Amino acid sequence: MRIFTAVLATETNTFSPICVDRRAFEASLYAPPGKHPGTPTLCSAPITVGRRLAAERGFDLIEGTAAWADPAGLVNRLTYEGLRDEILGQLRAALPVDAVVLGLHGAMVADGYEDAEGDFLAHVRTIVGPNILVCAELDPHSHLTAKRQAAADFFVYFKEFPHTDFVDRAEDLWRIALGTLDGRLKPVMSAFDCRMIDVYPTSREPMRSFVDRIMRIEAEDPDILSISVVHGFMAGDVPEMGTKMAVVTDGKPEKGNALARELGLELFARRGTFIMPQIDEKEAVSRALSATGGPVVIADVWDNPGGGTAGDATVLLAELLAQDAKNVAVGTIWDPMAVQICMAAGEGAEIQLRFGAKSAPGTGNPVDDTVRIIKLVRNAEMRFGQSQVPFGDAAHIRLDGIDIILNSTRAQSFDPSLFSVMGIDPTSKSILVIKSTNHFHAAFAPIASEILYCSAGTPYPNDPARTDYRRAPRDIWPMVDDPHGMEPAASSTRR
């Protein structure tokens, strides 16, 4: 048995000013065939899990290129086409194969390709023909389009947000794929359009109970192979943006359609109740300063590089300085030029430095002040579950009692190791400021006395009802109050 696997993934915020070229993939993950490290990145677990299963079961795993870029704006056309064609060429060279198992994100938009994954999968299907299994693991912050449903047999999405389960879902993907190749399973994918867009953290109710319920259904009903909530990605201005339910059954399309609709309408009935309560920067800093224990974690939720923003906003830092906060650590502010200046000056130097707020309106103002350079690290990395996440050359600087990490490769704040690798003990700080919407929660919650979700500035299009969409649907909630007052969108199936 011969199975081809590869990865092509990034998350595209179509409102972000930061374009993605090949260097962005090389900075995050670019691994030619057979060169993928032993630990997975967010979207490359199909490769590492596949390696283990190939060794255990004795099938041939043919690895293609694995390419992942941290979320940003539009992908350069030549970059997308080059990486796509590189993998497609490897697939052609590998023929004949019994299956294609991919790691994708699901929210990639390239210049000229609104549905990059749909385009990629359609090419894969053309190469292998109609009878070869094609499947993929995807991030739920993505777009489930008709084109990609037509090209693939089934998809499995991460269930958790924060995405702590990407390896577990790769195991599910391979379980279904190998069961299909063994002749034991006949996967059929059903989908339901919830006609809404929202944010669904599984670290709090009501999404926690909803995900627990769908996992119980999977465990108890042998007809149900996988259930996924495709959250959608509100910063992707594309025609099929929105939340979907995806159900994979063992040859039971009618049952899958009914379950997807039932769960989708249940999700819709709870619209507007999922997202974390947020406060502005003034209240966040005041509450953190009045806390009796520490560290208080303030999450700068909308300047999140994991959602495609620059991660260089200074709104929260300016408020910390205004309120004379001390014993604070900020991780991170993206500013490659400032990092380069710090690297040239060296550890221990005291220099005049301008940093931050260079990317876009709504990110605050650059900081101009005298800073001391505490620690410099080349090619710094932090942990995220079983993976290592690079945040590039980095500088730990100190300004008026505040420790600040400047980084050169954009990355959200996943784990306290972000601070410790830069010489900061996060548990000793009164306040930690991080840039992440919710992926930080699993790692930071154990050390935090309190977590505050802060909406500071406007670096991200976080209000769909007011976002200036040009291509996204306007007949979904919250753009309209009750889209299901009309005839609900029909379920769709393949095989």
PDB file of all heavy atoms in Angstrom, residues 139-144 157-163 194 196-202 207 210-211 228-234 241-245 267:
ATOM      1  N   ASP A 139      -7.667  23.204  10.000  1.00  0.00           N
ATOM      2  CA  ASP A 139      -7.952  24.096  11.119  1.00  0.00           C
ATOM      3  C   ASP A 139      -9.423  24.513  11.031  1.00  0.00           C
ATOM      4  O   ASP A 139      -9.923  24.786   9.939  1.00  0.00           O
ATOM      5  CB  ASP A 139      -7.038  25.323  10.997  1.00  0.00           C
ATOM      6  CG  ASP A 139      -7.064  26.237  12.203  1.00  0.00           C
ATOM      7  OD1 ASP A 139      -8.163  26.732  12.549  1.00  0.00           O
ATOM      8  OD2 ASP A 139      -5.989  26.498  12.764  1.00  0.00           O
ATOM      9  N   PRO A 140     -10.148  24.587  12.152  1.00  0.00           N
ATOM     10  CA  PRO A 140     -11.558  24.992  12.063  1.00  0.00           C
ATOM     11  C   PRO A 140     -11.762  26.452  11.680  1.00  0.00           C
ATOM     12  O   PRO A 140     -12.852  26.819  11.237  1.00  0.00           O
ATOM     13  CB  PRO A 140     -12.096  24.720  13.475  1.00  0.00           C
ATOM     14  CG  PRO A 140     -10.897  24.800  14.355  1.00  0.00           C
ATOM     15  CD  PRO A 140      -9.772  24.249  13.532  1.00  0.00           C
ATOM     16  N   HIS A 141     -10.733  27.283  11.825  1.00  0.00           N
ATOM     17  CA  HIS A 141     -10.862  28.689  11.419  1.00  0.00           C
ATOM     18  C   HIS A 141     -10.621  28.787   9.917  1.00  0.00           C
ATOM     19  O   HIS A 141      -9.619  29.330   9.454  1.00  0.00           O
ATOM     20  CB  HIS A 141      -9.884  29.561  12.211  1.00  0.00           C
ATOM     21  CG  HIS A 141     -10.208  29.607  13.666  1.00  0.00           C
ATOM     22  ND1 HIS A 141      -9.367  29.124  14.638  1.00  0.00           N
ATOM     23  CD2 HIS A 141     -11.317  30.043  14.315  1.00  0.00           C
ATOM     24  CE1 HIS A 141      -9.930  29.277  15.834  1.00  0.00           C
ATOM     25  NE2 HIS A 141     -11.117  29.826  15.658  1.00  0.00           N
ATOM     26  N   SER A 142     -11.567  28.233   9.168  1.00  0.00           N
ATOM     27  CA  SER A 142     -11.374  28.076   7.741  1.00  0.00           C
ATOM     28  C   SER A 142     -12.712  28.148   7.017  1.00  0.00           C
ATOM     29  O   SER A 142     -13.756  28.355   7.637  1.00  0.00           O
ATOM     30  CB  SER A 142     -10.657  26.757   7.445  1.00  0.00           C
ATOM     31  OG  SER A 142     -11.383  25.658   7.959  1.00  0.00           O
ATOM     32  N   HIS A 143     -12.664  27.958   5.711  1.00  0.00           N
ATOM     33  CA  HIS A 143     -13.851  28.069   4.862  1.00  0.00           C
ATOM     34  C   HIS A 143     -14.122  26.703   4.234  1.00  0.00           C
ATOM     35  O   HIS A 143     -13.267  26.178   3.512  1.00  0.00           O
ATOM     36  CB  HIS A 143     -13.631  29.116   3.779  1.00  0.00           C
ATOM     37  CG  HIS A 143     -12.971  30.378   4.255  1.00  0.00           C
ATOM     38  ND1 HIS A 143     -13.579  31.241   5.147  1.00  0.00           N
ATOM     39  CD2 HIS A 143     -11.741  30.908   3.995  1.00  0.00           C
ATOM     40  CE1 HIS A 143     -12.763  32.254   5.396  1.00  0.00           C
ATOM     41  NE2 HIS A 143     -11.643  32.072   4.726  1.00  0.00           N
ATOM     42  N   LEU A 144     -15.289  26.143   4.507  1.00  0.00           N
ATOM     43  CA  LEU A 144     -15.657  24.868   3.899  1.00  0.00           C
ATOM     44  C   LEU A 144     -16.414  25.175   2.612  1.00  0.00           C
ATOM     45  O   LEU A 144     -17.599  25.511   2.636  1.00  0.00           O
ATOM     46  CB  LEU A 144     -16.516  24.037   4.857  1.00  0.00           C
ATOM     47  CG  LEU A 144     -17.013  22.683   4.331  1.00  0.00           C
ATOM     48  CD1 LEU A 144     -15.856  21.840   3.819  1.00  0.00           C
ATOM     49  CD2 LEU A 144     -17.774  21.942   5.422  1.00  0.00           C
ATOM     50  N   TYR A 157     -11.376  18.140  11.198  1.00  0.00           N
ATOM     51  CA  TYR A 157     -10.932  19.445  11.697  1.00  0.00           C
ATOM     52  C   TYR A 157     -10.569  19.334  13.179  1.00  0.00           C
ATOM     53  O   TYR A 157     -11.110  18.500  13.909  1.00  0.00           O
ATOM     54  CB  TYR A 157     -12.057  20.481  11.563  1.00  0.00           C
ATOM     55  CG  TYR A 157     -12.436  20.812  10.140  1.00  0.00           C
ATOM     56  CD1 TYR A 157     -13.230  19.954   9.393  1.00  0.00           C
ATOM     57  CD2 TYR A 157     -11.999  21.994   9.544  1.00  0.00           C
ATOM     58  CE1 TYR A 157     -13.586  20.255   8.084  1.00  0.00           C
ATOM     59  CE2 TYR A 157     -12.348  22.312   8.243  1.00  0.00           C
ATOM     60  CZ  TYR A 157     -13.141  21.433   7.512  1.00  0.00           C
ATOM     61  OH  TYR A 157     -13.484  21.739   6.225  1.00  0.00           O
ATOM     62  N   PHE A 158      -9.645  20.214  13.626  1.00  0.00           N
ATOM     63  CA  PHE A 158      -9.391  20.305  15.066  1.00  0.00           C
ATOM     64  C   PHE A 158     -10.717  20.623  15.758  1.00  0.00           C
ATOM     65  O   PHE A 158     -11.521  21.396  15.261  1.00  0.00           O
ATOM     66  CB  PHE A 158      -8.413  21.433  15.416  1.00  0.00           C
ATOM     67  CG  PHE A 158      -7.202  21.562  14.542  1.00  0.00           C
ATOM     68  CD1 PHE A 158      -6.605  22.799  14.365  1.00  0.00           C
ATOM     69  CD2 PHE A 158      -6.640  20.470  13.902  1.00  0.00           C
ATOM     70  CE1 PHE A 158      -5.490  22.960  13.571  1.00  0.00           C
ATOM     71  CE2 PHE A 158      -5.517  20.599  13.106  1.00  0.00           C
ATOM     72  CZ  PHE A 158      -4.949  21.860  12.931  1.00  0.00           C
ATOM     73  N   LYS A 159     -10.909  20.048  16.931  1.00  0.00           N
ATOM     74  CA  LYS A 159     -12.119  20.331  17.706  1.00  0.00           C
ATOM     75  C   LYS A 159     -11.899  21.446  18.725  1.00  0.00           C
ATOM     76  O   LYS A 159     -12.842  22.145  19.093  1.00  0.00           O
ATOM     77  CB  LYS A 159     -12.596  19.068  18.424  1.00  0.00           C
ATOM     78  CG  LYS A 159     -13.255  18.038  17.511  1.00  0.00           C
ATOM     79  CD  LYS A 159     -13.738  16.847  18.321  1.00  0.00           C
ATOM     80  CE  LYS A 159     -14.620  15.925  17.484  1.00  0.00           C
ATOM     81  NZ  LYS A 159     -13.926  15.369  16.311  1.00  0.00           N
ATOM     82  N   GLU A 160     -10.673  21.560  19.211  1.00  0.00           N
ATOM     83  CA  GLU A 160     -10.415  22.451  20.335  1.00  0.00           C
ATOM     84  C   GLU A 160      -9.923  23.820  19.871  1.00  0.00           C
ATOM     85  O   GLU A 160      -9.171  23.943  18.903  1.00  0.00           O
ATOM     86  CB  GLU A 160      -9.375  21.836  21.275  1.00  0.00           C
ATOM     87  CG  GLU A 160      -9.761  20.486  21.856  1.00  0.00           C
ATOM     88  CD  GLU A 160     -10.916  20.561  22.841  1.00  0.00           C
ATOM     89  OE1 GLU A 160     -11.278  21.687  23.273  1.00  0.00           O
ATOM     90  OE2 GLU A 160     -11.447  19.508  23.200  1.00  0.00           O
ATOM     91  N   PHE A 161     -10.352  24.843  20.595  1.00  0.00           N
ATOM     92  CA  PHE A 161      -9.829  26.196  20.441  1.00  0.00           C
ATOM     93  C   PHE A 161      -9.598  26.750  21.836  1.00  0.00           C
ATOM     94  O   PHE A 161     -10.549  27.134  22.490  1.00  0.00           O
ATOM     95  CB  PHE A 161     -10.809  27.067  19.652  1.00  0.00           C
ATOM     96  CG  PHE A 161     -10.388  28.505  19.523  1.00  0.00           C
ATOM     97  CD1 PHE A 161      -9.060  28.851  19.321  1.00  0.00           C
ATOM     98  CD2 PHE A 161     -11.320  29.533  19.601  1.00  0.00           C
ATOM     99  CE1 PHE A 161      -8.668  30.175  19.197  1.00  0.00           C
ATOM    100  CE2 PHE A 161     -10.948  30.862  19.479  1.00  0.00           C
ATOM    101  CZ  PHE A 161      -9.614  31.178  19.279  1.00  0.00           C
ATOM    102  N   PRO A 162      -8.372  26.705  22.373  1.00  0.00           N
ATOM    103  CA  PRO A 162      -7.108  26.592  21.650  1.00  0.00           C
ATOM    104  C   PRO A 162      -6.886  25.209  21.032  1.00  0.00           C
ATOM    105  O   PRO A 162      -7.376  24.206  21.539  1.00  0.00           O
ATOM    106  CB  PRO A 162      -6.053  26.874  22.723  1.00  0.00           C
ATOM    107  CG  PRO A 162      -6.710  26.506  24.020  1.00  0.00           C
ATOM    108  CD  PRO A 162      -8.162  26.872  23.834  1.00  0.00           C
ATOM    109  N   HIS A 163      -6.100  25.187  19.934  1.00  0.00           N
ATOM    110  CA  HIS A 163      -5.928  23.981  19.129  1.00  0.00           C
ATOM    111  C   HIS A 163      -4.928  23.021  19.768  1.00  0.00           C
ATOM    112  O   HIS A 163      -3.855  22.751  19.229  1.00  0.00           O
ATOM    113  CB  HIS A 163      -5.475  24.349  17.725  1.00  0.00           C
ATOM    114  CG  HIS A 163      -6.401  25.248  16.988  1.00  0.00           C
ATOM    115  ND1 HIS A 163      -7.764  25.238  17.180  1.00  0.00           N
ATOM    116  CD2 HIS A 163      -6.166  26.195  16.042  1.00  0.00           C
ATOM    117  CE1 HIS A 163      -8.326  26.134  16.383  1.00  0.00           C
ATOM    118  NE2 HIS A 163      -7.383  26.731  15.692  1.00  0.00           N
ATOM    119  N   CYS A 194     -24.466  26.864   8.798  1.00  0.00           N
ATOM    120  CA  CYS A 194     -25.127  27.451   9.967  1.00  0.00           C
ATOM    121  C   CYS A 194     -25.569  28.896   9.720  1.00  0.00           C
ATOM    122  O   CYS A 194     -26.310  29.447  10.534  1.00  0.00           O
ATOM    123  CB  CYS A 194     -24.194  27.414  11.181  1.00  0.00           C
ATOM    124  SG  CYS A 194     -23.654  25.753  11.641  1.00  0.00           S
ATOM    125  N   MET A 196     -23.946  31.772   9.864  1.00  0.00           N
ATOM    126  CA  MET A 196     -23.514  32.654  10.935  1.00  0.00           C
ATOM    127  C   MET A 196     -21.993  32.710  10.924  1.00  0.00           C
ATOM    128  O   MET A 196     -21.329  31.883  10.278  1.00  0.00           O
ATOM    129  CB  MET A 196     -24.004  32.139  12.296  1.00  0.00           C
ATOM    130  CG  MET A 196     -23.400  30.779  12.684  1.00  0.00           C
ATOM    131  SD  MET A 196     -24.131  30.004  14.147  1.00  0.00           S
ATOM    132  CE  MET A 196     -23.517  31.067  15.442  1.00  0.00           C
ATOM    133  N   ILE A 197     -21.441  33.685  11.650  1.00  0.00           N
ATOM    134  CA  ILE A 197     -20.006  33.721  11.915  1.00  0.00           C
ATOM    135  C   ILE A 197     -19.835  34.193  13.347  1.00  0.00           C
ATOM    136  O   ILE A 197     -20.492  35.143  13.780  1.00  0.00           O
ATOM    137  CB  ILE A 197     -19.238  34.622  10.911  1.00  0.00           C
ATOM    138  CG1 ILE A 197     -17.731  34.527  11.147  1.00  0.00           C
ATOM    139  CG2 ILE A 197     -19.731  36.062  10.966  1.00  0.00           C
ATOM    140  CD1 ILE A 197     -17.137  33.182  10.806  1.00  0.00           C
ATOM    141  N   ASP A 198     -18.981  33.497  14.100  1.00  0.00           N
ATOM    142  CA  ASP A 198     -18.818  33.796  15.514  1.00  0.00           C
ATOM    143  C   ASP A 198     -17.439  33.319  15.937  1.00  0.00           C
ATOM    144  O   ASP A 198     -16.665  32.797  15.120  1.00  0.00           O
ATOM    145  CB  ASP A 198     -19.923  33.102  16.323  1.00  0.00           C
ATOM    146  CG  ASP A 198     -20.306  33.854  17.596  1.00  0.00           C
ATOM    147  OD1 ASP A 198     -19.496  34.690  18.052  1.00  0.00           O
ATOM    148  OD2 ASP A 198     -21.401  33.602  18.136  1.00  0.00           O
ATOM    149  N   VAL A 199     -17.111  33.475  17.207  1.00  0.00           N
ATOM    150  CA  VAL A 199     -15.867  32.980  17.787  1.00  0.00           C
ATOM    151  C   VAL A 199     -16.238  31.961  18.840  1.00  0.00           C
ATOM    152  O   VAL A 199     -17.086  32.226  19.702  1.00  0.00           O
ATOM    153  CB  VAL A 199     -15.045  34.132  18.402  1.00  0.00           C
ATOM    154  CG1 VAL A 199     -13.778  33.600  19.058  1.00  0.00           C
ATOM    155  CG2 VAL A 199     -14.696  35.166  17.333  1.00  0.00           C
ATOM    156  N   TYR A 200     -15.593  30.771  18.814  1.00  0.00           N
ATOM    157  CA  TYR A 200     -16.051  29.635  19.607  1.00  0.00           C
ATOM    158  C   TYR A 200     -14.925  29.061  20.485  1.00  0.00           C
ATOM    159  O   TYR A 200     -14.402  27.975  20.214  1.00  0.00           O
ATOM    160  CB  TYR A 200     -16.560  28.516  18.693  1.00  0.00           C
ATOM    161  CG  TYR A 200     -17.589  28.943  17.682  1.00  0.00           C
ATOM    162  CD1 TYR A 200     -17.216  29.324  16.397  1.00  0.00           C
ATOM    163  CD2 TYR A 200     -18.949  28.940  17.985  1.00  0.00           C
ATOM    164  CE1 TYR A 200     -18.156  29.699  15.451  1.00  0.00           C
ATOM    165  CE2 TYR A 200     -19.899  29.309  17.049  1.00  0.00           C
ATOM    166  CZ  TYR A 200     -19.499  29.699  15.782  1.00  0.00           C
ATOM    167  OH  TYR A 200     -20.432  30.066  14.852  1.00  0.00           O
ATOM    168  N   PRO A 201     -14.519  29.724  21.546  1.00  0.00           N
ATOM    169  CA  PRO A 201     -13.495  29.155  22.425  1.00  0.00           C
ATOM    170  C   PRO A 201     -14.022  27.946  23.182  1.00  0.00           C
ATOM    171  O   PRO A 201     -15.083  28.004  23.811  1.00  0.00           O
ATOM    172  CB  PRO A 201     -13.170  30.304  23.372  1.00  0.00           C
ATOM    173  CG  PRO A 201     -14.405  31.151  23.383  1.00  0.00           C
ATOM    174  CD  PRO A 201     -14.993  31.042  22.016  1.00  0.00           C
ATOM    175  N   THR A 202     -13.294  26.850  23.134  1.00  0.00           N
ATOM    176  CA  THR A 202     -13.706  25.636  23.847  1.00  0.00           C
ATOM    177  C   THR A 202     -13.197  25.619  25.281  1.00  0.00           C
ATOM    178  O   THR A 202     -13.464  24.665  26.016  1.00  0.00           O
ATOM    179  CB  THR A 202     -13.216  24.390  23.107  1.00  0.00           C
ATOM    180  OG1 THR A 202     -11.782  24.424  23.009  1.00  0.00           O
ATOM    181  CG2 THR A 202     -13.806  24.322  21.710  1.00  0.00           C
ATOM    182  N   MET A 207     -19.358  26.495  24.526  1.00  0.00           N
ATOM    183  CA  MET A 207     -18.713  25.654  23.504  1.00  0.00           C
ATOM    184  C   MET A 207     -18.084  24.411  24.112  1.00  0.00           C
ATOM    185  O   MET A 207     -18.025  23.366  23.461  1.00  0.00           O
ATOM    186  CB  MET A 207     -17.675  26.469  22.746  1.00  0.00           C
ATOM    187  CG  MET A 207     -17.288  25.870  21.400  1.00  0.00           C
ATOM    188  SD  MET A 207     -18.710  25.741  20.299  1.00  0.00           S
ATOM    189  CE  MET A 207     -17.984  24.800  18.943  1.00  0.00           C
ATOM    190  N   PHE A 210     -20.643  21.749  24.143  1.00  0.00           N
ATOM    191  CA  PHE A 210     -21.016  21.363  22.781  1.00  0.00           C
ATOM    192  C   PHE A 210     -19.983  20.403  22.197  1.00  0.00           C
ATOM    193  O   PHE A 210     -20.329  19.372  21.615  1.00  0.00           O
ATOM    194  CB  PHE A 210     -21.149  22.609  21.899  1.00  0.00           C
ATOM    195  CG  PHE A 210     -21.740  22.335  20.547  1.00  0.00           C
ATOM    196  CD1 PHE A 210     -23.113  22.314  20.364  1.00  0.00           C
ATOM    197  CD2 PHE A 210     -20.924  22.102  19.459  1.00  0.00           C
ATOM    198  CE1 PHE A 210     -23.668  22.059  19.107  1.00  0.00           C
ATOM    199  CE2 PHE A 210     -21.456  21.850  18.203  1.00  0.00           C
ATOM    200  CZ  PHE A 210     -22.834  21.827  18.030  1.00  0.00           C
ATOM    201  N   VAL A 211     -18.703  20.711  22.368  1.00  0.00           N
ATOM    202  CA  VAL A 211     -17.656  19.832  21.851  1.00  0.00           C
ATOM    203  C   VAL A 211     -17.633  18.511  22.603  1.00  0.00           C
ATOM    204  O   VAL A 211     -17.448  17.435  22.015  1.00  0.00           O
ATOM    205  CB  VAL A 211     -16.288  20.540  21.897  1.00  0.00           C
ATOM    206  CG1 VAL A 211     -15.153  19.561  21.621  1.00  0.00           C
ATOM    207  CG2 VAL A 211     -16.255  21.681  20.886  1.00  0.00           C
ATOM    208  N   SER A 228     -17.236  17.676  13.054  1.00  0.00           N
ATOM    209  CA  SER A 228     -16.402  18.875  13.165  1.00  0.00           C
ATOM    210  C   SER A 228     -17.257  20.132  13.106  1.00  0.00           C
ATOM    211  O   SER A 228     -18.207  20.203  12.318  1.00  0.00           O
ATOM    212  CB  SER A 228     -15.381  18.938  12.016  1.00  0.00           C
ATOM    213  OG  SER A 228     -14.511  17.825  12.021  1.00  0.00           O
ATOM    214  N   VAL A 229     -16.909  21.092  13.951  1.00  0.00           N
ATOM    215  CA  VAL A 229     -17.441  22.437  13.805  1.00  0.00           C
ATOM    216  C   VAL A 229     -16.404  23.232  13.018  1.00  0.00           C
ATOM    217  O   VAL A 229     -15.282  23.433  13.478  1.00  0.00           O
ATOM    218  CB  VAL A 229     -17.688  23.119  15.163  1.00  0.00           C
ATOM    219  CG1 VAL A 229     -18.286  24.505  14.943  1.00  0.00           C
ATOM    220  CG2 VAL A 229     -18.592  22.274  16.044  1.00  0.00           C
ATOM    221  N   VAL A 230     -16.775  23.656  11.822  1.00  0.00           N
ATOM    222  CA  VAL A 230     -15.909  24.518  11.028  1.00  0.00           C
ATOM    223  C   VAL A 230     -16.262  25.948  11.430  1.00  0.00           C
ATOM    224  O   VAL A 230     -17.266  26.497  10.983  1.00  0.00           O
ATOM    225  CB  VAL A 230     -16.115  24.287   9.523  1.00  0.00           C
ATOM    226  CG1 VAL A 230     -15.085  25.076   8.723  1.00  0.00           C
ATOM    227  CG2 VAL A 230     -16.038  22.799   9.184  1.00  0.00           C
ATOM    228  N   HIS A 231     -15.474  26.529  12.303  1.00  0.00           N
ATOM    229  CA  HIS A 231     -15.818  27.811  12.904  1.00  0.00           C
ATOM    230  C   HIS A 231     -16.032  28.892  11.854  1.00  0.00           C
ATOM    231  O   HIS A 231     -16.862  29.778  12.023  1.00  0.00           O
ATOM    232  CB  HIS A 231     -14.713  28.281  13.852  1.00  0.00           C
ATOM    233  CG  HIS A 231     -14.515  27.375  15.028  1.00  0.00           C
ATOM    234  ND1 HIS A 231     -13.791  27.768  16.145  1.00  0.00           N
ATOM    235  CD2 HIS A 231     -14.920  26.109  15.285  1.00  0.00           C
ATOM    236  CE1 HIS A 231     -13.760  26.776  17.029  1.00  0.00           C
ATOM    237  NE2 HIS A 231     -14.427  25.761  16.519  1.00  0.00           N
ATOM    238  N   GLY A 232     -15.263  28.829  10.768  1.00  0.00           N
ATOM    239  CA  GLY A 232     -15.190  29.935   9.832  1.00  0.00           C
ATOM    240  C   GLY A 232     -14.119  30.914  10.275  1.00  0.00           C
ATOM    241  O   GLY A 232     -13.593  30.828  11.388  1.00  0.00           O
ATOM    242  N   PHE A 233     -13.770  31.841   9.390  1.00  0.00           N
ATOM    243  CA  PHE A 233     -12.717  32.817   9.689  1.00  0.00           C
ATOM    244  C   PHE A 233     -13.200  34.181   9.251  1.00  0.00           C
ATOM    245  O   PHE A 233     -13.248  34.500   8.064  1.00  0.00           O
ATOM    246  CB  PHE A 233     -11.427  32.425   8.971  1.00  0.00           C
ATOM    247  CG  PHE A 233     -10.253  33.284   9.320  1.00  0.00           C
ATOM    248  CD1 PHE A 233      -9.896  33.491  10.639  1.00  0.00           C
ATOM    249  CD2 PHE A 233      -9.489  33.883   8.323  1.00  0.00           C
ATOM    250  CE1 PHE A 233      -8.806  34.296  10.978  1.00  0.00           C
ATOM    251  CE2 PHE A 233      -8.400  34.677   8.644  1.00  0.00           C
ATOM    252  CZ  PHE A 233      -8.055  34.883   9.974  1.00  0.00           C
ATOM    253  N   MET A 234     -13.590  35.000  10.227  1.00  0.00           N
ATOM    254  CA  MET A 234     -14.260  36.268   9.927  1.00  0.00           C
ATOM    255  C   MET A 234     -13.347  37.282   9.267  1.00  0.00           C
ATOM    256  O   MET A 234     -13.824  38.270   8.691  1.00  0.00           O
ATOM    257  CB  MET A 234     -14.869  36.851  11.200  1.00  0.00           C
ATOM    258  CG  MET A 234     -13.876  37.284  12.247  1.00  0.00           C
ATOM    259  SD  MET A 234     -14.651  38.109  13.681  1.00  0.00           S
ATOM    260  CE  MET A 234     -15.702  36.822  14.336  1.00  0.00           C
ATOM    261  N   MET A 241     -17.466  32.360   3.317  1.00  0.00           N
ATOM    262  CA  MET A 241     -17.093  32.568   4.714  1.00  0.00           C
ATOM    263  C   MET A 241     -18.282  32.256   5.623  1.00  0.00           C
ATOM    264  O   MET A 241     -19.414  32.610   5.320  1.00  0.00           O
ATOM    265  CB  MET A 241     -16.657  34.021   4.914  1.00  0.00           C
ATOM    266  CG  MET A 241     -16.107  34.334   6.306  1.00  0.00           C
ATOM    267  SD  MET A 241     -17.392  34.857   7.466  1.00  0.00           S
ATOM    268  CE  MET A 241     -17.735  36.501   6.884  1.00  0.00           C
ATOM    269  N   GLY A 242     -18.029  31.592   6.746  1.00  0.00           N
ATOM    270  CA  GLY A 242     -19.086  31.327   7.709  1.00  0.00           C
ATOM    271  C   GLY A 242     -18.914  29.988   8.397  1.00  0.00           C
ATOM    272  O   GLY A 242     -18.061  29.170   8.040  1.00  0.00           O
ATOM    273  N   THR A 243     -19.718  29.762   9.426  1.00  0.00           N
ATOM    274  CA  THR A 243     -19.658  28.550  10.234  1.00  0.00           C
ATOM    275  C   THR A 243     -20.419  27.420   9.554  1.00  0.00           C
ATOM    276  O   THR A 243     -21.527  27.615   9.061  1.00  0.00           O
ATOM    277  CB  THR A 243     -20.266  28.815  11.620  1.00  0.00           C
ATOM    278  OG1 THR A 243     -19.540  29.879  12.249  1.00  0.00           O
ATOM    279  CG2 THR A 243     -20.213  27.575  12.495  1.00  0.00           C
ATOM    280  N   LYS A 244     -19.820  26.224   9.565  1.00  0.00           N
ATOM    281  CA  LYS A 244     -20.445  25.033   8.995  1.00  0.00           C
ATOM    282  C   LYS A 244     -20.312  23.870   9.985  1.00  0.00           C
ATOM    283  O   LYS A 244     -19.425  23.860  10.837  1.00  0.00           O
ATOM    284  CB  LYS A 244     -19.772  24.637   7.676  1.00  0.00           C
ATOM    285  CG  LYS A 244     -19.562  25.780   6.669  1.00  0.00           C
ATOM    286  CD  LYS A 244     -20.802  26.135   5.950  1.00  0.00           C
ATOM    287  CE  LYS A 244     -20.678  27.285   4.966  1.00  0.00           C
ATOM    288  NZ  LYS A 244     -19.408  27.619   4.401  1.00  0.00           N
ATOM    289  N   MET A 245     -21.204  22.910   9.864  1.00  0.00           N
ATOM    290  CA  MET A 245     -21.053  21.631  10.562  1.00  0.00           C
ATOM    291  C   MET A 245     -20.679  20.581   9.535  1.00  0.00           C
ATOM    292  O   MET A 245     -21.286  20.514   8.459  1.00  0.00           O
ATOM    293  CB  MET A 245     -22.350  21.209  11.251  1.00  0.00           C
ATOM    294  CG  MET A 245     -22.709  21.970  12.500  1.00  0.00           C
ATOM    295  SD  MET A 245     -21.524  21.829  13.880  1.00  0.00           S
ATOM    296  CE  MET A 245     -21.302  20.046  13.964  1.00  0.00           C
ATOM    297  N   LEU A 267     -26.162  25.075  17.356  1.00  0.00           N
ATOM    298  CA  LEU A 267     -25.098  26.068  17.463  1.00  0.00           C
ATOM    299  C   LEU A 267     -25.649  27.463  17.162  1.00  0.00           C
ATOM    300  O   LEU A 267     -25.355  28.437  17.879  1.00  0.00           O
ATOM    301  CB  LEU A 267     -23.984  25.709  16.485  1.00  0.00           C
ATOM    302  CG  LEU A 267     -22.586  26.254  16.753  1.00  0.00           C
ATOM    303  CD1 LEU A 267     -21.986  25.610  17.986  1.00  0.00           C
ATOM    304  CD2 LEU A 267     -21.686  25.999  15.550  1.00  0.00           C
TER     305      LEU A 267
END
